[in-house]
Amino acid sequence: MSPQSVRNLVILGATGSIGVSTLDVVARHPERFAVFALSAHRQIGRLFEQCLQFAPQFAVVAAQDDARDLQQRLREAGSRTEVLAGEAALADVASDERADVVMAAIVGAAGLLPTLAAARAGKRVLLANKEALVLGGALFMDAVRAGGGSLLPIDSEHNAVFQALPADYARCPDSAGVRRIVLTASGGPFREWPLEALAGVTPEQACAHPNWVMGRKISVDSATMMNKGLEVIEAHWLFGALVDRIDVVVHPQSVIHSMVEYVDGSVVAQLGNPDMRTPIAHALGFPERIEAGVTSLDLCQVARLSFEEPDFSRFPCLALAYDALREGGAAPAVLNAANEEAVAAFLAGRLGFTQIAAVIAATLERANGLSVESAQAILDTDRSARTLARESIRQRETQ
Ligand code: NAD
Ligand code: MG
C-alpha cells in the first residue's frame, strides 16, 4: 500500500468501549491508519496513555482544566499532541480537512453535533452513536447526502444488515427485493427472570450483559431492550426501511448478528463471535477486509442457535420505541432524551429499573409541539424532553 493511502482517523469517544476496540484494530494496521484526533469526556488518564501510544495531532476533552492538565502531562512526556477543550473543538476536529474517517463513538445525544459536522464535511462516518440517528435521523441522512461522504454502521446488527444487503442497495433500494429486516436481540440478562423480581434489579446486575462487554448506558439499554428499540429506529433511517418491515427476534447466543429476508424467501445472515472489533474492522477497511483479531467462530462449540419472540410485557421499552417511530416527528427524540435521563437516574440509584419505561411513557405523553426540523430544534426538543423526564423522575423518587 502506498503512503498516500494512509487514512487519517478521528475517534470521538476514544476512551469508551467502542473507542478502545477501534484503537485495538487500528494498532494492527499502522500502514493503513494514522490517528489524527482522539476525544474523551473525563477519562483523562486513559486518554493520556492513548495519546502516547498513537500520537494524534489533537486530543479533545470537555473541560478547560482537564485540557490544561493533560497538555502539561503530555509535554512533560515528550508528546507533541495539542489538547483542545469543548464541544466546538469536537466538531472542528471531526470536520477538519485533514481528517478522512470519523468514528462516532460518543454515547448519547452529546455525539450529535460533532457527528453531524463530520457528515456535512463529507467524511467517511463510522456510526456507533445510534442516539444521534434516533434524535435527528432525517437531518443526519440529509447531511450525509449533502456532504457527499459515506456512512457505515458499527452497531453489530446494522453492520450485519449492511453486509447482507446488495452492494448497490443505497442507490436503488426499491429494486433490491428486500421483504424485511430482522434484528436479533440477546434479550439481555433478565430474559428469564421472574417478572416480579425486575423491580429490584441493581445497576450492577443490569450492566452484567451475558454476551457483550459495553459501556454502562448501552448495557442498561440492553437489559430493558430499549437498545433494540433504538436500533429499530436506527435501521429505519440507515436503510430507508418502513417500520413494519423491521422485526426483532430474540436470539440469546448473539451469533447471528442480524438478517435480511428477500422476496424470493432467501434469508441472508451475518454470523460471528460477539466482538465489536468485527464490525469496526469491516467499516474501517471497507470495501477491503482487514484482520480484526477476532477468533474464528466455532459452530460445533456453539452447537445450538435458538430464537424466540420478544416479550413486549417484559420489555415495554421496545414497544415504546416502535410506537415512537410510528408516530414520527419529534417522538423518537423525546423517547431518547427521556431514556437517557431515566437510565442516568437508575445508574445513580435514584430510580427503579421498571420505572425507566414509566418515565419514558409519561414524558412522551406530556411532550407536545416539539420539532426536529433543524439542529437547533433538535437540541431544544432534547432539552425540553429532559426537563419533563426529570420532573417525572423526581415525582417517583418521592413516592
Ligand atoms: P462508553 O460509555 O464506554 O464510552 C463513551 C465515550 O464517549 C467515552 O469516550 C466518553 O469519554 C465519551 N463521552 C461520554 N459522554 C460524553 C459527552 N457528554 N461529551 C463528549 N464525550 C462524551 O460507551 P460505548 O459502549 O463505547 O458506546 C458508545 C456508543 O456506541 C453508544 O452510542 C452506544 O450505543 C454505541 N454502541 C456501543 C456498542 C458496544 O459494544 N459498546 C455496540 C453498539 C453500539
Ligand atoms: Mg447493537
Side-chain angles (χ1 to χ4, degrees), residues 328-386:
V334 172
L335 172 100
N336 181 69
N339 182 56
E340 286 193 30
E341 289 296 325
V343 170
F346 167 69
L347 284 171
R350 294 195 291 114
L351 188 71
F353 182 76
T354 47
Q355 296 289 297
I356 295 174
V359 166
I360 299 165
T363 307
L364 280 162
E365 235 163 68
R366 287 181 58 206
N368 54 50
L370 300 174
S371 147
V372 285
E373 299 291 301
S374 64
Q376 190 53 53
I378 292 170
L379 295 177
D380 292 344
T381 291
D382 182 62
R383 198 171 312 117
S384 306
R386 282 172 196 270

Side-chain angles (χ1 to χ4, degrees), residues 5 11 52 62 66 98 128-129 156 198 245-246 259 323 395:
S5 56
I11 305 181
L52 291 189
D66 285 339
R98 290 165 288 180
N129 179 208
S156 57
L198 291 182
R245 290 178 181 250
I246 309 169
M259 300 168 253
D323 290 346
Q395 281 165 9

Side-chain angles (χ1 to χ4, degrees), residues 128 130 154-158 184 212 214 218 222 227-228 231 234 257-258 276:
K130 64 192 87 184
I154 294 298
D155 218 345
S156 57
E157 296 76 3
H158 305 74
T184 52
W212 301 92
M214 309 179 286
I218 186 178
S222 298
N227 183 49
K228 211 49 52 182
E231 290 182 356
E234 186 184 9
H257 298 316
S258 278
M276 288 307 292

Side-chain angles (χ1 to χ4, degrees), residues 12-21 39-43 46 61-62 87 90 104-111 114 127-132 154-157 212-219 221 227 230-231 234 276:
L12 303 171
T15 53
S17 163
I18 293 289
V20 168
S21 294
S39 93
H41 195 47
R42 294 210 180 89
Q43 292 157 296
R46 184 175 276 181
V61 297
E87 275 189 7
L90 279 180
I106 288 175
V107 57
L127 188 76
N129 179 208
K130 64 192 87 184
E131 296 93 343
I154 294 298
D155 218 345
S156 57
E157 296 76 3
W212 301 92
V213 181
M214 309 179 286
R216 283 166 77 77
K217 191 263 178 182
I218 186 178
S219 296
D221 285 349
N227 183 49
L230 299 177
E231 290 182 356
E234 186 184 9
M276 288 307 292

Side-chain angles (χ1 to χ4, degrees), residues 50-385:
Q50 291 177 338
C51 287
L52 291 189
Q53 187 180 351
F54 293 95
Q57 305 219 8
F58 297 103
V60 187
V61 297
Q64 287 290 352
D65 293 1
D66 285 339
R68 265 193 301 275
D69 290 352
L70 180 62
Q71 185 71 78
Q72 190 177 347
R73 281 178 70 187
L74 283 170
R75 276 219 197 92
E76 283 165 10
S79 159
R80 291 160 70 174
T81 298
E82 187 179 333
V83 184
L84 309 171
E87 275 189 7
L90 279 180
D92 287 347
V93 295
S95 56
D96 191 293
E97 60 176 17
R98 290 165 288 180
D100 303 306
V101 182
V102 177
M103 167 60 81
I106 288 175
V107 57
L112 176 69
L113 291 183
T115 309
L116 204 54
R120 285 186 175 135
K123 305 301 178 196
R124 171 183 284 199
V125 179
L126 313 189
L127 188 76
N129 179 208
K130 64 192 87 184
E131 296 93 343
L133 215 46
V134 172
L135 269 175
L139 189 83
F140 191 78
M141 296 311 287
D142 283 349
V144 173
R145 275 185 288 271
S150 56
L151 184 61
L152 289 165
I154 294 298
D155 218 345
S156 57
E157 296 76 3
H158 305 74
N159 185 270
V161 168
F162 181 84
Q163 293 195 46
L165 286 169
D168 61 351
Y169 178 76
R171 259 192 301 117
C172 36
D174 296 337
S175 59
V178 173
R179 185 183 280 161
R180 62 183 184 130
I181 287 172
V182 184
L183 301 178
T184 52
S186 69
F190 309 130
R191 188 174 54 92
E192 292 178 310
W193 276 38
L195 276 182
E196 48 306 343
L198 291 182
V201 159
T202 65
E204 282 58 43
Q205 289 167 329
C207 288
H209 195 276
N211 307 334
W212 301 92
V213 181
M214 309 179 286
R216 283 166 77 77
K217 191 263 178 182
I218 186 178
S219 296
V220 177
D221 285 349
S222 298
T224 61
M225 279 192 81
M226 177 54 94
N227 183 49
K228 211 49 52 182
L230 299 177
E231 290 182 356
V232 169
I233 301 172
E234 186 184 9
H236 164 74
W237 290 113
L238 282 175
F239 308 116
L242 299 174
V243 56
D244 295 325
R245 290 178 181 250
I246 309 169
D247 289 343
V248 170
V249 64
V250 174
H251 164 47
Q253 297 82 13
S254 299
V255 165
I256 295 183
H257 298 316
S258 278
M259 300 168 253
V260 175
E261 181 183 324
Y262 289 89
V263 286
D264 62 3
S266 300
V267 178
V268 180
Q270 186 259 3
L271 286 73
N273 283 323
D275 187 324
M276 288 307 292
R277 291 176 299 175
T278 294
I280 290 168
H282 171 266
L284 279 171
F286 186 79
E288 288 176 55
R289 295 275 178 175
I290 62 173
E291 176 63 51
V294 177
T295 51
S296 289
L297 175 63
D298 184 343
L299 279 172
C300 297
Q301 166 117 45
V302 175
R304 251 168 218 90
L305 300 180
S306 60
F307 305 93
E308 50 195 72
E309 297 241 5
D311 176 349
F312 286 94
S313 61
R314 178 179 291 269
F315 300 112
C317 285
L318 181 58
L320 287 169
Y322 264 112
D323 290 346
L325 181 56
R326 284 201 180 92
E327 189 180 328
V334 172
L335 172 100
N336 181 69
N339 182 56
E340 286 193 30
E341 289 296 325
V343 170
F346 167 69
L347 284 171
R350 294 195 291 114
L351 188 71
F353 182 76
T354 47
Q355 296 289 297
I356 295 174
V359 166
I360 299 165
T363 307
L364 280 162
E365 235 163 68
R366 287 181 58 206
N368 54 50
L370 300 174
S371 147
V372 285
E373 299 291 301
S374 64
Q376 190 53 53
I378 292 170
L379 295 177
D380 292 344
T381 291
D382 182 62
R383 198 171 312 117
S384 306

